[in-house]
Amino acid sequence: AGALVARVVGSSVVPLSSLTCNKSPIRVQNDLVRRTFLCGGPSTFMGRRAELRPVAAVFESNVPVLVRSEAADGAVTLEAPKIKQSVYAFGPGAPKAPVDRNLLGGKGNNLCEMANFGIPVPPGFVITTESCNNYRAEGRQLKDSLRDEIRSAVKFLESQMGLKLGSAENPLLVSVRSGARVSMPGMMDTVLNLGCNDKSVVGLAKSTNNDRMAYDSYRRFIMMYGDVVKNVEKKLFERAFDALKEAEGVTSDVDLSVDGLKKACDVFKKIYKDSLGQDFPQDPEEQLFGAVRAVFNSWDSERAQVYRRVNDIPDDWGTAVVVQTMVFGNKGDTSATGVGFTRNPISGENTFYGEFLINAQGEDVVAGIRTPQPVNKLQAAKDGIDLPTLEELMPEVYQQLVDTGKLLEKNYGDMQDMEFTIENGKLYMLQTRNGKRTGFAAVRVAGEMLREGLMTEKGAIRSIQPDQLTQLLAPIFDQKAKDKAKDKLVAKGINAGPG
């Protein structure tokens, strides 16, 4: 049954399935009554070989132990070979993960670092890029050892949060996201609200006293899991949801009634079953392993491969997987989700820039379903947008967001692109990375951050890509002339290229 054993003398066998030791060698004293394990200090186990009772020491299971030498007195020296860890936890109480973006990916590495800084980050764990490459090399199957590590990480996360994945009373929901060592925005897959099922959605509604948020999260999860993990056509879900809104005479997602959201869950499960010939999975472990495989597979999707070719990113880097406790931007008017840049990515101006949506989840901001709102009054005025800003609606949260951005700039020495969620007025950071920017912004940011002491001269030069310099050669309208012609504009658009 996979129990770990170590041969001591002859046919005498000491079961080690419940033991672990991170240091080697382990010295085992051969005697049926007492065995002493030396692991950086004496730790004694009493009893016969079939019923060892630990007195002091904690050992790790599933680590093969090799016999290294046998002494004249019958004692045997055993060695536990170094086993590569595949899963690293982050958040309160988690051991400090290595600072290694090659191993943890950019997203996972930065989340671990932010957690270490004390920045509010929902707890979670990272599955390494090496695990992705092993998966790709071994027939696209998750090894039993990796499954065991993931299960252990889930148990630790449940103990951190006081919640349980799939529970009908206090359910834990997680997001499963990709995270390569360099940013590949939009190229790989994400699954949100994992852990939702027919029982946990009832528990979520009860524990949060928010039926709308619970069933909204469930219908989103069914659609994302169907689309990302099982390749069910997303349009089938979208058309069905539009029909439900039309039946109630509403146009916005947030205006659909709770009964409408419950119907959406039932309709989406039927679409899933009709498309695949199987019921929507209710087992959270099956959901999790399916989502991890989908994220690993997305590294080899056509769009990801094209992006890597264009940006000279090696195919053998692989992606990490970040599994993180869900925080909910769709709990009501004091909750929101958004993206932000520590500086303007178009002009390079040293002002916070971004957009957000009240009562929404992350995919809503980029999906084009609703019009995002600017984060501050300056941005709203410059872009001519007459919508309430985060600065006006939640001034304290906005200031905390700006302050966090400055801290991250100081740590990483570059302009940051951040994802955030606000749950009932509390800010959580979901990601930070060096921000993409125009050529104009790149030159300005490099010069100003050099003067501010945040970049070295070499760092400033390296932050400007060669192709960004060509943008500076493209003809542009004089800003004063543009301002003068403001009232005569035929149309507006988002600039997709320079010039």
Side-chain angles (χ1 to χ4, degrees):
L4 189 72
V5 298
R7 184 174 298 281
V8 179
V9 172
S11 61
S12 297
V13 168
V14 180
L16 297 177
S17 58
S18 63
L19 321 179
T20 118
C21 182
N22 294 325
K23 297 182 180 179
S24 56
I26 307 170
R27 186 171 173 77
V28 181
Q29 185 69 39
N30 177 33
D31 113 42
L32 289 178
V33 179
R34 168 177 290 225
R35 291 173 176 82
T36 303
F37 293 71
L38 300 179
C39 175
S43 304
T44 306
F45 287 75
M46 304 290 290
R48 292 186 173 276
R49 62 179 181 272
E51 49 176 347
L52 290 178
R53 179 169 60 85
V55 175
V58 180
F59 290 119
E60 183 173 359
S61 60
N62 299 322
V63 178
V65 178
L66 310 176
V67 175
R68 283 301 180 211
S69 65
E70 194 168 332
D73 62 0
V76 178
T77 299
L78 307 179
E79 183 175 319
K82 192 174 182 181
I83 304 297
K84 278 201 170 181
Q85 192 172 332
S86 298
V87 180
Y88 292 88
F90 59 86
K96 196 171 181 179
V99 180
D100 185 350
R101 67 176 45 246
N102 294 349
L103 181 68
L104 303 179
K107 183 180 295 175
N109 183 73
N110 292 351
L111 282 168
C112 290
E113 283 198 298
M114 285 197 288
N116 292 338
F117 297 155
I119 290 172
V121 170
F125 57 88
V126 184
I127 305 170
T128 64
T129 56
E130 290 178 353
S131 301
C132 175
N133 286 328
N134 291 339
Y135 169 84
R136 297 166 71 214
E138 295 167 3
R140 297 190 177 271
Q141 296 295 318
L142 298 179
K143 292 195 300 185
D144 288 344
S145 58
L146 178 59
R147 287 172 181 264
D148 286 343
E149 280 199 65
I150 293 171
R151 289 186 185 106
S152 297
V154 168
K155 284 181 181 175
F156 180 72
L157 185 57
E158 288 173 338
S159 69
Q160 283 178 296
M161 301 302 298
L163 305 170
K164 187 171 177 59
L165 202 63
S167 165
E169 300 298 326
N170 292 297
L172 170 69
L173 268 57
V174 296
S175 62
V176 181
R177 302 191 292 168
S178 63
R181 69 173 76 174
V182 295
S183 176
M184 294 174 58
M187 294 301 109
M188 289 180 290
D189 288 331
T190 292
V191 177
L192 303 179
N193 305 312
L194 190 143
C196 269
N197 59 29
D198 292 348
K199 291 181 180 177
S200 67
V201 70
V202 177
L204 184 65
K206 195 178 294 183
S207 63
T208 59
N209 196 28
N210 193 330
D211 286 16
R212 164 172 286 282
M213 185 275 294
Y215 286 95
D216 184 44
S217 299
Y218 193 18
R219 66 94 184 169
R220 289 170 185 269
F221 174 54
I222 298 167
M223 182 170 71
M224 291 189 89
Y225 192 89
D227 171 35
V228 170
V229 180
K230 295 294 187 177
N231 298 312
V232 178
E233 193 176 357
K234 191 176 181 180
K235 285 182 180 177
L236 296 175
F237 298 109
E238 291 174 337
R239 286 170 186 158
F241 197 63
D242 286 343
L244 288 169
K245 289 191 291 186
E246 189 176 342
E248 290 194 4
V250 298
T251 56
S252 175
D253 294 0
V254 297
D255 293 329
L256 189 67
S257 69
V258 173
D259 285 341
L261 291 171
K262 289 179 178 179
K263 283 180 190 172
C265 294
D266 292 335
V267 171
F268 283 11
K269 282 187 288 185
K270 185 176 185 306
I271 291 171
Y272 184 96
K273 186 170 184 176
D274 291 346
S275 300
L276 300 170
Q278 56 189 246
D279 291 327
F280 184 77
Q282 297 294 303
D283 178 5
E285 186 173 281
E286 180 187 344
Q287 296 173 358
L288 179 56
F289 290 149
V292 170
R293 284 196 301 270
V295 173
F296 281 161
N297 288 336
S298 70
W299 174 258
D300 292 310
S301 67
E302 185 179 356
R303 67 181 185 268
Q305 291 184 60
V306 170
Y307 186 91
R308 290 200 296 274
R309 281 199 299 272
V310 170
N311 291 278
D312 295 321
I313 298 171
D315 282 336
D316 61 2
W317 277 4
T319 181
V321 178
V322 177
V323 179
Q324 195 171 15
T325 304
M326 281 294 301
V327 285
F328 299 95
N330 59 331
K331 275 192 171 181
D333 291 341
T334 59
S335 299
T337 188
V339 295
F341 293 83
T342 52
R343 298 174 191 236
N344 189 313
I346 300 167
S347 67
E349 186 180 1
N350 188 4
T351 56
F352 198 88
Y353 184 94
E355 53 192 24
F356 75 106
L357 281 171
I358 291 286
N359 197 16
Q361 285 198 330
E363 75 269 21
D364 297 342
V365 179
V366 294
I369 300 167
R370 293 163 56 191
T371 303
Q373 298 159 234
V375 290
N376 57 39
K377 292 181 282 187
L378 179 65
Q379 180 185 339
K382 284 192 171 183
D383 294 345
I385 299 173
D386 187 22
L387 290 170
T389 67
L390 184 63
E391 184 181 15
E392 294 167 307
L393 295 173
M394 304 182 201
E396 291 181 5
V397 174
Y398 171 74
Q399 191 56 53
Q400 186 185 357
L401 184 61
V402 172
D403 293 343
T404 300
K406 288 176 181 175
L407 176 63
L408 293 172
E409 268 199 355
K410 189 174 181 180
N411 181 69
Y412 293 109
D414 205 345
M415 180 187 95
Q416 294 299 292
D417 169 6
M418 309 181 301
E419 293 179 17
F420 62 91
T421 286
I422 302 161
E423 180 181 286
N424 291 334
K426 182 175 171 61
L427 175 69
Y428 292 93
M429 303 303 297
L430 306 184
Q431 176 173 318
T432 189
R433 58 191 172 192
N434 291 344
K436 303 286 185 186
R437 65 208 77 173
T438 65
F440 300 100
V443 172
R444 178 169 178 173
V445 167
E448 291 187 357
M449 292 191 86
L450 174 62
R451 284 194 294 275
E452 292 163 22
L454 297 174
M455 280 187 181
T456 63
E457 286 190 6
K458 286 183 179 179
I461 292 170
R462 279 198 298 264
S463 73
I464 304 169
Q465 302 303 309
D467 63 337
Q468 289 180 317
L469 294 175
T470 63
Q471 295 181 24
L472 302 179
L473 304 176
I476 60 172
F477 291 111
D478 178 74
Q479 187 59 47
K480 289 180 181 177
K482 268 178 73 175
D483 292 341
K484 195 174 180 182
K486 206 168 189 177
D487 298 332
K488 301 177 185 177
L489 294 179
V490 175
K492 283 185 178 182
I494 296 172
N495 46 321

